[in-house]
Amino acid sequence: MASIDIVQLADALSQTHVDDGELSFQGLGLKLDNAASVEEIVHDIEQLQCLRALRLEGNSVGVEAAQAIAKALEGKDLLQRCHWSDMFTGRLRSEIPTALKHLSAAIMSAGARLTELDLSDNAFGPDGVKGIEQLLKSPSCHTLRELKLNNCGMGIGGGKILAEALIECHRQSSANGTPLKLRVFVAGRNRLENEGAQALARAFRLMGSLEEVHMPQNGIHYVGVMALASALRHNPQLRVLNFNDNTFTKKGTLAMAQALRHLRNVQVVNFGDCLVRSEGAIALAAVLREGLPIVKDLNLSFGEITMEAALVVAQAVKDKPHVERLDLNGNCLGEGGCEALKEALENVLNADLLASLSDDEGEPEDEEDDEEEDDDDDNSDGDEEDDTSEKCDDEDADAGKENGIIGTKDSPEKPQSPAEILALLSCPSVEELLQLRATLQLQVDASDPTEAVDVFLKIASLYSEDPETKAAVLETIDVLMKKLLPASVLQSYCFFSTLLVKTGLLKGERKIKTVSLGPGQLLCLEHAVQQQYFSQHHAALLHTLVSKKTETFKSCSAEGERLNSALEKMCSGQH
């Protein structure tokens, strides 16, 4: 080593920080190629008898240097925290697994019990995960509480290796009577995609101890999101969920909303840039209404959410006493929508609650192509069901399914609707209705919003002023709505948002054949409002949408005015 290098190394090492068992070489920018280059580091490790934490981040450690450091760690059984992010700068990818294996072997040999392992910002790929695979399976990680592998380029293969290692660690530690209780998991920017997410979901479900999950920018679409949602609901202590910049769409958002209903300790929800869209936002608003009692931060930015849905979210947030920040930037509110959102939140105690709306995309164009590109991409995972098979049930339907994955090709098909309902939907008639209404409550699946809405609209289309027909229609509407009322808030919101999309009042995720509301359907909606089947928040949204679509009801303006009048009374509290 040249004398100038020795001087620079000595100067850098003079900045070494030792505090309460922590030895830090953080951010020194050292290029450590061989044993000679780490002599001072090795000396300091050996001299610190109670070494509990070793910080090597911000340096460049080669294979020989790692081997020398590892030798020094073989006697450090008190080591608990390894802060080793960004410590392979400029190294060949092929070097990193070998270096990690040396360090891992030393920790296992020492009998150390780690609580934190941070290897973020090391671009080691799937092979790098193999470098720590045996460590993760070993007793040294039975005590692990924080695992941070952000921006490591693990890919699908690395995600699967990691998941299997965690599952094996949990199996062995459980057999020893001290099951793995990982609390913090960080794996953003790793290209895990659906398969990697599904593999990790199995591990998450087993552990049940997670408090923070950070998995942004992983190319996960709704199939992987559904798997993760199913697993996360079994982690009741979750406080932070960060899935920013993945692709939820409606199916993934509904699954996450369903999971959030079971999680009472969540404080931070980051679903920004996840294509939550309007129907998903309304479902999340429902969860805010009935759960998430201590939520502080909600990020739904850049999600293609329209003004109406954003206002539903805002109204729900107003009732959460602990909320400190709501981010709806980058959505499709338009200038008027931004102002309406600010007005809706202007009386909240926290004046800074609403994040900036400077990147709003403006109101969506009616002629926009709504085809859902990501659905096509995800069909390779075997999930080819359409919207008619989506459910918002509150049962743990996935509990008995292999690997805890819902909505995949292994899931059972949705039961077929009873023949009587199919007959009514295909060819609605008063005669069919009279025969069906007595058993309708038993036959309509309240957890399937699409079926429930179809039945509602078909029944309403039979409305007439003939006393017998009118009575039959309204009585059947009552039966149907009372079937839906005992359902969870999330189920009722799913029904309501599906009704709005089906009737063309709310922009849906994809193009569907909408039903133009006729006089009878408007009057049945009026009846539903008068009977208070819809909440005041539903009424406010419906009133806003109906008021914007006055041209749509030109042929039945009298019925439209009656509906609007009923909505105005409900919104003002005059029932």
Side-chain angles (χ1 to χ4, degrees):
M1 181 181 290
S3 58
I4 189 170
D5 292 335
I6 295 174
V7 171
Q8 290 174 341
L9 179 60
D11 182 58
L13 290 174
S14 68
Q15 303 171 44
T16 300
H17 177 66
V18 180
D19 182 30
D20 192 27
E22 178 181 287
L23 185 59
S24 176
F25 302 94
Q26 180 182 9
L28 299 182
L30 302 174
K31 193 170 188 303
L32 308 170
D33 296 320
N34 49 43
S37 66
V38 293
E39 283 180 356
E40 292 291 336
I41 294 175
V42 167
H43 176 267
D44 287 349
I45 292 174
E46 291 174 340
Q47 290 302 304
L48 187 57
Q49 297 302 314
C50 57
L51 178 66
R52 299 183 187 279
L54 178 61
R55 309 196 74 106
L56 293 174
E57 62 265 61
N59 295 291
S60 178
V61 181
V63 173
E64 290 184 29
Q67 191 171 10
I69 293 172
K71 186 67 176 176
L73 290 175
E74 287 179 356
K76 302 301 174 182
D77 60 335
L78 298 179
L79 181 64
Q80 296 177 343
R81 301 185 302 279
C82 298
H83 301 281
W84 295 347
S85 64
D86 188 26
M87 72 170 195
F88 295 113
T89 303
R91 297 295 168 182
L92 295 176
R93 185 163 159 175
S94 58
E95 293 181 80
I96 302 175
T98 305
L100 288 174
K101 286 178 181 178
H102 286 309
L103 293 167
S104 296
I107 293 170
M108 292 186 285
S109 176
R113 295 293 184 265
L114 298 184
T115 58
E116 182 176 355
L117 177 60
D118 185 358
L119 286 164
S120 299
D121 300 316
N122 291 307
F124 48 53
D127 290 338
V129 185
K130 292 178 182 178
I132 58 171
E133 182 180 6
Q134 295 307 313
L135 172 63
L136 291 173
K137 293 178 179 180
S138 75
S140 290
C141 283
H142 289 183
T143 51
L144 198 62
R145 297 294 178 263
E146 299 185 24
L147 179 59
K148 300 175 181 178
L149 297 168
N150 198 62
N151 190 31
C152 290
M154 289 189 289
I156 295 171
K160 289 181 175 180
I161 296 169
L162 174 62
E164 289 303 318
L166 290 173
I167 289 170
E168 180 61 19
C169 181
H170 184 271
R171 187 191 68 78
Q172 291 187 21
S173 58
S174 297
N176 292 336
T178 55
L180 172 65
K181 293 183 178 179
L182 192 68
R183 294 173 186 162
V184 178
F185 180 82
V186 182
R189 300 185 67 186
N190 272 292
R191 304 191 307 277
L192 294 170
E193 301 182 17
N194 289 337
E195 291 183 57
Q198 288 173 313
L200 286 166
R202 292 191 282 273
F204 293 169
R205 186 187 183 103
L206 276 176
M207 291 186 291
S209 56
L210 291 168
E211 296 179 11
E212 295 185 25
V213 176
H214 302 264
M215 297 176 67
Q217 290 183 288
N218 269 298
I220 306 171
H221 288 208
Y222 73 87
V223 173
V225 174
M226 291 171 75
L228 289 167
S230 174
L232 292 175
R233 65 192 291 180
H234 296 281
N235 289 261
Q237 299 307 313
L238 267 171
R239 294 182 294 105
V240 179
L241 282 176
N242 178 8
F243 288 97
N244 191 284
D245 198 9
N246 288 290
T247 308
F248 282 25
T249 61
K250 178 182 175 182
K251 293 180 182 179
T253 309
L254 290 182
M256 277 294 179
Q258 180 62 29
L260 287 170
R261 289 184 59 231
H262 299 265
L263 301 172
R264 308 290 294 178
N265 294 300
V266 171
Q267 297 178 26
V268 178
V269 177
N270 186 345
F271 294 164
D273 205 9
C274 284
L275 282 185
V276 165
R277 294 180 174 143
S278 295
E279 291 172 272
I282 290 173
L284 291 171
V287 176
L288 287 167
R289 290 281 178 201
E290 67 175 337
L292 297 178
I294 58 173
V295 66
K296 293 182 179 181
D297 191 311
L298 177 61
N299 184 346
L300 299 178
S301 60
F302 298 93
E304 295 187 3
I305 300 169
T306 58
M307 174 192 74
E308 296 81 11
L311 289 172
V312 175
V313 173
Q315 291 298 327
V317 164
K318 285 173 68 175
D319 296 332
K320 312 308 289 187
H322 302 285
V323 171
E324 299 172 358
R325 184 173 178 271
L326 171 63
D327 191 346
L328 287 165
N329 194 24
N331 283 298
C332 305
L333 311 182
E335 186 175 344
C338 290
E339 290 304 315
L341 191 60
K342 292 174 183 176
E343 289 176 12
L345 295 170
E346 64 182 356
N347 293 323
V348 296
L349 292 177
N350 180 6
D352 298 322
L353 184 149
L354 185 63
S356 168
L357 299 172
S358 59
D359 296 317
D360 185 70
E361 297 287 338
E363 294 186 59
E365 297 290 336
D366 289 337
E367 66 273 16
E368 256 181 21
D369 185 3
D370 284 333
E371 288 300 318
E372 187 188 352
E373 296 175 4
D374 44 278
D375 267 9
D376 293 333
D377 294 338
D378 282 334
N379 282 343
S380 60
D381 291 290
D383 188 304
E384 298 182 358
E385 55 187 288
D386 60 21
D387 280 344
T388 61
S389 64
E390 289 170 21
K391 290 196 173 189
C392 302
D393 61 346
D394 58 355
E395 298 176 0
D396 192 3
D398 58 295
K401 297 176 188 175
E402 182 181 4
N403 300 329
I405 306 302
I406 62 174
T408 66
K409 60 186 178 184
D410 296 321
S411 301
E413 292 184 4
K414 175 184 175 292
Q416 189 173 9
S417 299
E420 294 88 346
I421 291 181
L422 292 176
L424 178 68
L425 294 178
S426 61
C427 188
S429 68
V430 176
E431 292 76 17
E432 286 280 353
L433 177 61
L434 292 173
Q435 293 177 13
L436 181 61
R437 62 177 170 169
T439 59
L440 183 69
Q441 189 169 16
L442 298 174
Q443 296 187 32
V444 174
D445 185 357
S447 69
D448 185 341
T450 303
E451 178 184 288
V453 166
D454 284 342
V455 172
F456 179 92
L457 293 173
K458 290 293 185 181
I459 292 170
S461 70
L462 299 174
Y463 181 95
S464 79
E465 291 300 329
D466 172 70
E468 184 180 8
T469 303
K470 178 179 179 179
V473 169
L474 294 183
E475 285 174 16
T476 312
I477 291 292
D478 288 338
V479 169
L480 176 62
M481 297 306 293
K482 287 174 182 176
K483 174 72 180 285
L484 298 171
L485 276 180
S488 69
V489 174
L490 178 56
Q491 284 182 357
S492 64
Y493 268 63
C494 286
F495 170 81
F496 187 67
S497 64
T498 302
L499 176 65
L500 296 179
V501 172
K502 187 74 174 178
T503 55
L505 294 173
L506 182 70
K507 180 182 172 67
E509 185 167 84
R510 65 182 75 173
K511 286 184 177 178
I512 62 169
K513 185 178 181 181
T514 58
V515 175
S516 297
L517 289 171
Q521 290 158 330
L522 289 169
L523 293 176
C524 285
L525 281 172
E526 178 202 21
H527 172 77
V529 171
Q530 291 171 337
Q531 298 302 311
Q532 298 181 39
Y533 294 136
F534 296 136
S535 70
Q536 196 168 16
H537 309 291
H538 289 154
L541 176 57
L542 184 56
H543 182 251
T544 300
L545 293 170
V546 169
S547 300
K548 286 176 66 177
K549 300 278 187 177
T550 52
E551 289 294 315
T552 307
F553 308 125
K554 267 190 174 181
S555 60
C556 42
S557 56
E559 292 82 3
E561 288 175 8
R562 283 179 58 175
L563 173 58
N564 249 333
S565 176
L567 289 168
E568 286 174 1
K569 287 180 180 178
M570 186 168 186
C571 291
S572 62
Q574 304 172 28
H575 303 314

